[in-house]
Amino acid sequence: MPIYVNGDTPVFQLLYPLVHAIQPFLVPICFVSAWLFVILTVWSLFSTVFEGVGRARQMHQIPCANCQYFTGDYGLKCTVHPSIALSEDAIHCPDYDPAPNLY
């Protein structure tokens, strides 16, 4: 059952000239839109991976796990600086002292 505007003209008859006018441009618009979507998706994935690798490198600079003052206890991670232990602020900790190697 067709949809009517003002009870006498089907909507499809009103849209036909518009669709017919933009039909030559639909293929290029869809082509560009599809490739733009693919490029933006790949770009987003690469930027996410790049930022994740940078963040991981920064987090691996935290020396707390190798420090002799690191307790490994959740309640008291570090006996010298418990507020900055295992955080980015601990990267340049002035009291870092490597734990003695027991092996």
Side-chain angles (χ1 to χ4, degrees):
M1 183 162 148
I3 300 171
Y4 292 97
V5 177
N6 297 333
D8 56 353
T9 308
V11 174
F12 297 119
Q13 287 181 354
L14 293 175
L15 292 178
Y16 181 77
L18 176 66
V19 171
H20 189 65
I22 65 170
Q23 190 173 7
F25 304 107
L26 284 178
V27 171
I29 288 172
C30 290
F31 178 79
V32 169
S33 299
W35 275 109
L36 186 64
F37 177 75
V38 168
I39 289 169
L40 288 176
T41 302
V42 169
W43 185 6
S44 175
L45 288 173
F46 275 123
S47 66
T48 301
V49 168
F50 184 73
E51 289 174 8
V53 167
R55 182 80 173 148
R57 283 185 181 159
Q58 183 178 13
M59 297 307 285
H60 280 282
Q61 291 178 350
I62 297 173
C64 293
N66 299 326
C67 182
Q68 75 175 5
Y69 302 116
F70 183 70
T71 63
D73 182 20
Y74 179 75
L76 180 64
K77 300 173 200 162
C78 176
T79 57
V80 179
H81 298 286
S83 62
I84 67 168
L86 296 176
S87 69
E88 293 177 25
D89 296 333
I91 291 176
H92 299 290
C93 181
D95 295 314
Y96 172 71
D97 191 18
N101 193 357
L102 299 176
Y103 300 110

